[in-house]
Amino acid sequence: MGKTKDSGVEERPKWDNKVQYLLTCIGFAVGLGNVWRFPYLCQIYGGGAFLIPYLIALVFAGLPLLYLELAIGQRLRMGSIGVWTSISPLLGGVGIASMLVSFLVGIFYNTILAWVLWYFFHSFQNPLPWSQCPLNDNLTGYNVECVKSTPSNYFWYRETLNVTPDIETSGSLHWWLVICLASAWFVVYVCFIKGIASIGKAVYVTATFPYLVLTVFLIRGLTLPGATDGLLYLFTPDWEILKNPQVWLDAFTQIFFSLSLAFGGLIAFSSYNPERNNCERDAILVGVINSATSIYASISIFSILGFKATTAFNSCVKENILALTNHFEFSDQNITADKYDHWVEYLNRTSPGELASVDLRHCDLQTFLDQSASGTGLAFIVFTEAVVEMPGSQIWAILFFVMLFTLGLSSMFGTIEGILRPIKDLKLMPKWMPNELRTAVICSIAFLTALIFTMGSGNYWVEVFNSYAGSVPLLIIAFFEIIGVIYGRGMKTFSEDIYFMTGKRPNIFWKACWMVISPVMLLVVLVAYVGIQAQTHPSYHAWNPAYELFPKTEMKPYPDWVFAIIVLLCVLPLISIPLVALYQLVRSRIKRSSALVVLNPYCNDGFEVEPQEQKNQRA
Amino acid sequence: MLGQIFVLLCLSSAWAQQLCMPEASDGYKVRLSINTALGDQAYVWNENEMFLFRATLAFAMRSYSGGQDYNVSNIVVCAETPRVSFWFVVTAPLNSSRLIDRSDVEEAVRKSRNRINSAFLLTDRSLEFIGIPPILTAPVTPDTPQWLIVFGVVMGAVGAGIVVLLVTSVVEKKRKKNKKSGDEDIEEEPREKTEGNGFARDGVYNMSFSDDDPVTQM
């Protein structure tokens, strides 16, 4: 609880108990990506086989980086800016970079939550609005755009986003999205009002509720027809896929982004811990729970998707049966779904010409199962279609969207903390401002900036931010983090820190990972990632009703000015790293300090910092 | 005499049959999917059902034309299949060799579509008139969109939460300020004791060196 002394200096907030801390970290790590990115990757990369690169990435890169962040935050008891400035003033830019990335990610992430809220508000209707097409203007038929695509596609692209045909056409602000976005930011604010005191209570709900819903969906999903097909499809391993380097790259990036590393939020959260807390156990716990949640979620999701594919397959066969019955004037219901193939064979033998004239769709369960989607497409189009087919669709829709909202909200906590803590540490806001007002100001600024995502082209901009602001900068920041701690602070000092906190030194596995394996993996992945992105001119999927192949999305290249913005998004957070280093070098040269090598602002001859004191203590 | 009447009847029915043929320009094809719609409760399609159909269609023509005497005999049916599907044409009440226009038949059917459907316990989809689109009912849209109501409820709760939390924190601060102006010195030391270790009591805690403030306070 943040108490304020009369002199104005604030006490550092603390967690009420360990459970709050763990739930907050787990909530931060477990987010929307666990539900809609991991199952997709599992599916396209050969099911069970994908778990191998995923788990290797977790053990050799994810857990070491997580442990590092939690340990350094807990030891130095400061947010991301303070921590890096403590290690070396030259590294102060890393903290600023984390803050900027947290801001950029926070604004688009909360827009996704605004969309989830919109769907949640609409789940209370019967029938669900995305289950049928609306009528066209003169009430003679159904809306053309809806008929050509599907009702869920139409509801998502037209009624929710009202998306423009390309990113250059901005359209206008959509009032319904603006008020949903305002609601999302209000909810974030009400949870953040008292800092970690209120978050600590909110996470009891936001971190646990998703597991409850996933379990309910799992039980419901497994009882639906076709669930086993979906699960078999998901988990059937294709070992050949392991030879594809893209798989390893995606496994690594999935682990990295899933654990929410390099945002600064984890450092801030662990800095509120007491000094002697076993952060090694915490790190392993958070990392393992995050991956286990991904796998658990994919089981739930894929049993539902298997059901959806089976339903689609059955209706495809029914359509064909109807076409055949109508054409050949058979008695109604003479052809049943299970005898369909026999009938087609028989008709092929007796009257092939006639059969050819009937417009039959090719129905293949595999094709329907193959219709994979990730991201917003999975949640707002594919899953909503599945929910419509389930009996009691309103309840399932409400549960699903509340789950998505709580998943995203707990991740937002970490992101906002990654913005607020550095601002407090940098003392950017005047002292007389109470915390509540500071949080309100930050939330308002973020809301106003996020209004660009409520325009017609908003969805395309969210994609831009998602792919570029929340990817390369994080990898680079993480690289600087690990180099900064291991080589800047020194492995020896860091081992002492960990001994001080947990009572035992890190074993050879952690040391090997920190010193060699993780930085090398980070570097390789960074180079590979940038290399692959640079090979093709970046393009995006546009929803263009005037496109010839509509309802397929049109692949359009980003125009040059958007490309410039993409580069800016990548570079802007990172520019602070060299800028701050340069600034500190220049400043120290001006001061003509002989302690250029140490550059520790807290080094004052009369008061030695911890390591000496500890040696005295133990001796 | 009898023979002549017989020949006339045959001719007239043949003539009527000639009026009705598949792809007739003034006729419509009807398709029923009784088993799909009714499942176990499906009835068998026979002559009596066909008679009912002709009667309902005659009724439809009567309602549309404002009382002209259409009879069952004016509805001519042909090309029946096991599907169940057939073609029909409508002849004028007074002149059985003149066919009623397609558009008039269509309007009549559309006007009484509901009655025709309910006579057979079917819907627009299971009793199809090929070429006459079903009447689309616009979904009921209430004055305030329902989602705004839910939005109002949620936002009201969140707003109330914000107000309550802000008010309680302001009240708490005021209370603390009043308390602190009373006993400031006494509170200093005990606070330092309890603030260091929240819950983990491992190791030895040395009070003379607290790690909380690396910067010595002035």
Side-chain angles (χ1 to χ4, degrees), chain A residues 79-305:
Chain A
S80 58
I81 293 214
V83 156
W84 304 116
T85 320
S86 290
I87 294 181
S88 158
L90 294 175
L91 280 180
V94 176
I96 298 180
S98 286
M99 176 179 77
L100 290 173
V101 169
S102 292
F103 181 75
L104 291 175
V105 169
I107 52 177
F108 85 78
Y109 206 78
N110 219 20
T111 311
I112 298 179
L113 291 189
W115 294 336
V116 171
L117 271 185
W118 164 265
Y119 268 81
F120 170 69
F121 293 148
H122 278 84
S123 303
F124 288 88
Q125 297 172 7
N126 184 23
L128 290 170
W130 55 82
S131 60
Q132 22 172 252
C133 279
L135 298 176
N136 62 16
D137 289 329
N138 43 9
L139 301 181
T140 51
Y142 293 109
N143 183 298
V144 173
E145 188 182 346
C146 184
V147 168
K148 277 199 204 168
S149 54
T150 64
S152 8
N153 268 313
Y154 178 78
F155 185 75
W156 168 237
Y157 284 110
R158 191 52 52 211
E159 298 202 18
T160 308
L161 299 174
N162 198 9
V163 74
T164 53
D166 54 49
I167 198 172
E168 298 181 66
T169 333
S170 298
S172 55
L173 285 179
H174 299 316
W175 65 270
W176 59 92
L177 287 180
V178 172
I179 63 176
C180 285
L181 186 66
S183 331
W185 279 108
F186 269 119
V187 174
V188 168
Y189 179 61
V190 82
C191 293
F192 243 99
I193 267 188
K194 294 212 167 143
I196 64 165
S198 44
I199 290 179
K201 304 208 174 29
V203 285
Y204 281 122
V205 172
T206 61
T208 52
F209 190 74
Y211 290 98
L212 188 66
V213 175
L214 278 175
T215 312
V216 170
F217 264 107
L218 182 68
I219 298 175
R220 176 75 260 231
L222 287 177
T223 56
L224 289 169
T228 36
D229 289 315
L231 287 176
L232 275 174
Y233 180 72
L234 171 70
F235 285 119
T236 312
D238 171 20
W239 304 107
E240 291 297 312
I241 211 89
L242 295 177
K243 296 185 190 156
N244 181 2
Q246 180 77 20
V247 178
W248 295 86
L249 178 66
D250 275 336
F252 181 88
T253 49
Q254 171 62 19
I255 274 287
F256 182 79
F257 298 135
S258 178
L259 285 172
S260 308
L261 298 164
F263 278 92
L266 286 170
I267 298 180
F269 285 145
S270 65
S271 73
Y272 304 135
N273 272 336
E275 283 169 6
R276 290 161 199 274
N277 171 44
N278 191 348
C279 47
E280 178 181 11
R281 212 174 42 204
D282 297 342
I284 297 179
L285 204 62
V286 171
V288 166
I289 289 182
N290 179 52
S291 296
T293 310
S294 292
I295 298 175
Y296 190 56
S298 51
I299 300 179
S300 299
I301 299 285
F302 264 84
S303 53
I304 307 273
L305 290 183

Side-chain angles (χ1 to χ4, degrees), chain B residues 4-218:
Chain B
Q4 279 176 326
I5 298 173
F6 185 64
V7 168
L8 262 171
L9 273 173
C10 283
L11 271 176
S12 65
S13 64
W15 179 247
Q17 287 305 101
Q18 271 194 343
L19 289 174
C20 167
M21 11 177 224
E23 315 296 335
S25 54
D26 283 318
Y28 277 101
K29 182 171 181 181
V30 179
R31 191 189 289 149
L32 288 95
S33 311
I34 308 171
N35 290 341
T36 319
L38 301 172
D40 289 334
Q41 321 238 325
Y43 47 81
V44 179
W45 186 261
N46 52 26
E47 283 300 318
N48 305 330
E49 306 284 347
M50 183 54 89
F51 182 82
L52 179 59
F53 177 79
R54 293 166 71 198
T56 40
L57 219 53
F59 159 76
M61 292 305 299
R62 283 198 186 202
S63 324
Y64 170 69
S65 60
Q68 282 182 38
D69 264 345
Y70 283 91
N71 248 319
V72 177
S73 49
N74 292 119
I75 315 293
V76 184
V77 167
C78 56
E80 209 178 319
T81 67
R83 169 67 182 80
V84 174
S85 72
F86 47 84
W87 284 83
F88 75 92
V89 291
V90 183
T91 58
L94 300 172
N95 182 0
S96 52
S97 51
R98 184 173 75 88
L99 290 179
I100 304 291
D101 258 349
R102 198 159 212 254
S103 44
D104 289 328
V105 176
E106 176 172 342
E107 281 306 310
V109 167
R110 290 192 94 172
K111 199 173 159 201
S112 312
R113 190 66 186 264
N114 226 6
R115 302 293 297 272
I116 303 176
N117 284 350
S118 32
F120 290 95
L121 309 172
L122 296 173
T123 65
D124 279 354
R125 284 188 64 183
S126 31
L127 172 54
E128 296 169 81
F129 286 82
I130 313 291
I132 304 180
I135 300 169
L136 304 165
T137 45
V140 177
T141 42
D143 289 327
T144 27
Q146 280 169 298
W147 74 272
L148 278 178
I149 300 174
V150 184
F151 164 76
V153 167
V154 169
M155 280 310 288
V158 169
I162 292 179
V163 165
V164 162
L165 286 171
L166 283 176
V167 163
T168 49
S169 72
V170 164
V171 164
E172 252 183 62
K173 270 192 196 141
K174 279 211 177 114
R175 214 180 288 159
K176 260 192 211 146
K177 252 191 191 163
N178 293 339
K179 239 195 194 174
K180 264 195 187 144
S181 55
D183 38 19
E184 200 172 5
D185 303 292
I186 309 172
E187 283 201 12
E188 276 290 346
E189 244 203 273
R191 219 190 290 136
E192 268 196 33
K193 264 193 195 161
T194 50
E195 269 162 20
N197 272 344
F199 45 85
R201 299 218 168 258
D202 306 321
V204 178
Y205 187 60
N206 180 350
M207 266 176 45
S208 61
F209 177 67
S210 171
D211 220 11
D212 269 328
D213 288 320
V215 181
T216 42
Q217 282 180 353
M218 294 300 187

Side-chain angles (χ1 to χ4, degrees), chain A residues 322-339:
Chain A
L322 192 65
L324 282 176
T325 317
N326 286 346
H327 185 89
F328 287 100
E329 307 285 5
F330 292 134
S331 172
D332 190 24
Q333 294 291 330
N334 207 356
I335 309 179
T336 51
D338 39 349
K339 296 275 183 353

